[in-house]
Amino acid sequence: AYATPYGRKTATEVGVDAFVTKPFNANELATKASKMITLPDRSGNTQTEPLKSSRSARLISIHSLRGGLGSTALATNLAFALQNLWHEPTLLMDADFAGGQIDMNLKWPGGLSWSDLLRASARNILKQTLFDASIKHDTGLHILTAPRDLTESDRFDPSIVRQCLDLLQQQYEYIIADLAHDLRNNTCELLNDSDTILHLLSPAIVSLQSAKKALDTYASSGIPDDKVELILVDTRPQYRATASDIESYHGRSLSAYIPYAAEMTHAIDRGQPFIKAYPSHSISILVENLAFLFSKPEHKAASQEKSSAVRGMPHFQHTSPGQNGTHQGIAHSLLKRFGLGS
């Protein structure tokens, strides 16, 4: 219906191969359609072939039903830590289609967004778009940002997300997904496909209740308990709730504790990952520990053989409980599961 020069120009820019305006002539439409059936794709093939790669990315998802807990910050820093540890292709993926903020946190308006993939997948040239797009941040990370046009957020049905994820998993060793604070179809699709889910919660009662609801939903969806890690985040200098109270409420152990840090805001204001801005901070060490623990077994095995070649080998720091009963660093239960606890 856009029978204007602007309409044609816009269509050409997104890569259409034919343009017909209404009202149209049936013969003209049939002729163009016949040509489209045999039109090769941008790679020169008559059909779209799957990517040829031996990679199968490990998908680590950051999730919470409550905002304001630092999900985006943890996703960004964990991805940066994995990139630094292994120097393998790593993708930071903003999967909050309506309110993602990774590009704003890193002050990076460029690169590839879900809007680009939406248009590409509709034309069956998604593969070529992923190959051609420059999505590398100056930290070395590859970043897939939220849709540039928020009105497009409702167009990302699970089939589109599934198609994109299948291709992305063949290009990267690690994908860190910052999920929306909901349990809608797209979020559940990514949760079910995740190798590890880091669920964030705070000691606030509303956050505890939301986390319980999320855990119940995970269980009813068939997500194994051992895929889910509870990460306690202090968003204020002090809370009265203790770690044991929280563990008792949920009937499971906490995997890690992230203390309050005013420096986190400073790093975001500078558009830098926290562990790059404050590499010696206890939170930076914690994130590096988590990155190592959730890495692929073959990478961890290689690092043990050549530990000097791996920058910033984890220290696995944790102390006795503090005044609010929480553990600094990696919780004992998580270390034991990886055979590292005493």
Side-chain angles (χ1 to χ4, degrees), residues 241-255:
T242 66
S244 58
D245 289 338
I246 295 170
E247 290 176 335
S248 177
Y249 180 81
H250 288 295
R252 59 186 297 160
S253 299
L254 294 169
S255 295

Side-chain angles (χ1 to χ4, degrees), residues 20-34:
V20 179
T21 59
K22 297 190 297 183
F24 57 83
N25 177 279
N27 290 331
E28 178 192 6
L29 178 63
T31 299
K32 288 183 180 290
S34 296

Side-chain angles (χ1 to χ4, degrees), residues 49-108:
E49 298 292 335
L51 289 176
K52 303 296 183 183
S53 172
S54 59
R55 288 196 181 102
S56 179
R58 168 155 289 191
L59 176 59
I60 302 173
S61 292
I62 317 298
H63 189 226
S64 173
L65 293 184
R66 298 285 296 176
L69 298 184
S71 298
T72 299
L74 179 58
T76 301
N77 284 279
L78 187 61
F80 182 73
L82 285 164
Q83 171 70 32
N84 266 10
L85 272 176
W86 312 121
H87 303 287
E88 295 284 355
T90 301
L91 177 69
L92 174 59
M93 182 172 75
D94 198 330
D96 186 348
F97 301 104
Q101 298 181 345
I102 283 177
D103 55 343
M104 288 183 278
N105 279 18
L106 289 175
K107 300 186 185 303
W108 193 60

Side-chain angles (χ1 to χ4, degrees), residues 1-319:
Y2 294 97
T4 63
Y6 175 77
R8 289 183 180 275
K9 178 176 180 293
T10 303
T12 301
E13 287 175 349
V14 300
V16 304
D17 295 296
F19 190 91
V20 179
T21 59
K22 297 190 297 183
F24 57 83
N25 177 279
N27 290 331
E28 178 192 6
L29 178 63
T31 299
K32 288 183 180 290
S34 296
K35 291 180 179 179
M36 292 295 294
I37 290 171
T38 57
L39 185 69
D41 68 19
R42 296 303 171 87
S43 60
N45 301 317
T46 55
Q47 352 180 322
T48 300
E49 298 292 335
L51 289 176
K52 303 296 183 183
S53 172
S54 59
R55 288 196 181 102
S56 179
R58 168 155 289 191
L59 176 59
I60 302 173
S61 292
I62 317 298
H63 189 226
S64 173
L65 293 184
R66 298 285 296 176
L69 298 184
S71 298
T72 299
L74 179 58
T76 301
N77 284 279
L78 187 61
F80 182 73
L82 285 164
Q83 171 70 32
N84 266 10
L85 272 176
W86 312 121
H87 303 287
E88 295 284 355
T90 301
L91 177 69
L92 174 59
M93 182 172 75
D94 198 330
D96 186 348
F97 301 104
Q101 298 181 345
I102 283 177
D103 55 343
M104 288 183 278
N105 279 18
L106 289 175
K107 300 186 185 303
W108 193 60
L112 189 68
S113 80
W114 280 97
S115 296
D116 302 312
L117 300 190
L118 180 67
R119 298 184 182 99
S121 62
R123 298 196 61 260
N124 205 27
I125 58 168
L126 173 61
K127 179 177 68 174
Q128 198 63 40
T129 299
L130 290 172
F131 278 138
D132 291 346
S134 175
I135 58 176
K136 192 172 182 179
H137 186 257
D138 60 12
T139 59
L141 276 176
H142 282 216
I143 301 174
L144 176 60
T145 65
R148 295 189 182 93
D149 185 351
L150 296 184
T151 62
E152 295 179 331
S153 61
D154 291 335
R155 297 176 60 188
F156 291 93
D157 60 68
S159 64
I160 292 176
V161 175
R162 176 77 267 161
Q163 181 184 3
C164 295
L165 186 61
D166 284 344
L167 292 177
L168 290 168
Q169 286 180 312
Q170 296 176 56
Q171 293 195 78
Y172 294 96
E173 291 288 343
Y174 297 98
I175 298 176
I176 310 302
D178 182 20
L179 304 187
H181 304 301
D182 58 38
L183 288 167
R184 296 179 182 178
N185 290 341
N186 284 331
T187 303
C188 290
E189 178 79 18
L190 291 165
L191 286 168
N192 278 287
D193 204 65
S194 298
D195 296 287
T196 300
I197 299 168
L198 305 185
H199 189 90
L200 273 57
L201 70 159
S202 80
I205 186 62
V206 176
S207 179
L208 297 179
Q209 292 171 342
S210 297
K212 191 170 185 63
K213 178 180 178 181
L215 293 173
D216 289 343
T217 304
Y218 297 164
S220 64
S221 301
I223 296 174
D225 281 348
D226 60 3
K227 279 191 176 184
V228 183
E229 310 292 347
L230 286 184
I231 311 294
L232 179 63
V233 181
D234 262 355
T235 56
R236 301 176 187 174
Q238 284 189 343
Y239 269 111
R240 292 183 179 180
T242 66
S244 58
D245 289 338
I246 295 170
E247 290 176 335
S248 177
Y249 180 81
H250 288 295
R252 59 186 297 160
S253 299
L254 294 169
S255 295
Y257 164 65
I258 301 178
Y260 172 82
E263 296 94 335
M264 188 66 71
T265 302
H266 301 157
I268 293 173
D269 289 343
R270 291 160 60 179
Q272 285 189 325
F274 184 88
I275 65 174
K276 182 178 181 181
Y278 301 96
S280 301
H281 197 283
S282 61
I283 291 180
S284 299
I285 295 171
L286 166 63
V287 173
E288 288 182 346
N289 288 340
L290 290 174
F292 183 84
L293 289 176
F294 298 130
S295 294
K296 289 185 173 185
E298 58 266 32
H299 291 156
K300 288 190 284 189
S303 75
Q304 291 170 359
E305 294 175 5
K306 297 180 179 181
S307 59
S308 61
V310 180
R311 176 193 171 277
M313 283 296 293
H315 304 282
F316 297 110
Q317 284 191 355
H318 67 268
T319 66

